[in-house]
């Protein structure tokens, strides 16, 4: 544990920031998992609804710097491709 006051404050801030980022990452993974589970079940309508709910979460997570914008684009592209494959 640091002895300097500013270093102690940085530790407190880092813990708080880590917990917030952890929450955002967990929320992202949950929404992606909802889409993947709907696709696996073969339920196209549920997959589309879950995808529509997941896209803003993916974008906001990327905007906040939790994930890279290319990773966000990759998630959206691959999920959408799987959904389109359901209708074929």
């Amino acid at each position: 544990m640091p002895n300097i006051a500013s270093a102690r404050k940085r530790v407190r801030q880092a813990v708080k920031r880590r917990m917030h980022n952890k929450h955002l990452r967990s929320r992202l993974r949950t929404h992606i998992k909802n889409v993947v589970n709907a696709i696996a079940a073969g339920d196209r309508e549920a997959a589309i609804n879950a995808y529509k709910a997941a896209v803003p979460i993916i974008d906001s997570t990327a905007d906040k710097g939790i994930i890279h914008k290319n990773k966000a684009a990759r998630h959206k592209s691959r999920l959408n491709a799987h959904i389109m494959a359901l209708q074929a």
Side-chain angles (χ1 to χ4, degrees):
M1 195 67 187
N3 292 322
I4 298 168
S6 60
R8 284 197 297 262
K9 181 177 179 181
R10 294 300 298 171
V11 169
R12 288 194 309 270
Q13 289 174 332
V15 169
K16 184 187 287 188
R17 191 167 48 248
R18 188 175 69 245
M19 294 307 292
H20 185 249
N21 290 345
K22 183 179 175 183
H23 163 72
L24 294 175
R25 253 192 317 275
S26 174
R27 183 178 68 156
L28 169 75
R29 290 175 181 150
T30 300
H31 278 81
I32 290 173
K33 197 186 314 176
N34 291 342
V35 179
V36 170
N37 289 341
I39 291 168
D43 188 353
R44 185 172 184 275
E45 201 60 38
I48 290 172
N49 291 335
Y51 179 76
K52 285 180 181 176
V55 167
I57 303 298
I58 295 170
D59 287 335
S60 69
T61 306
D63 288 341
K64 292 172 182 163
I66 307 301
I67 62 170
H68 195 275
K69 63 185 178 81
N70 290 355
K71 181 175 181 176
R74 186 171 64 241
H75 275 303
K76 291 189 295 185
S77 175
R78 289 182 182 171
L79 291 173
N80 193 38
H82 286 298
I83 291 171
M84 291 300 129
L86 281 179
Q87 74 182 8

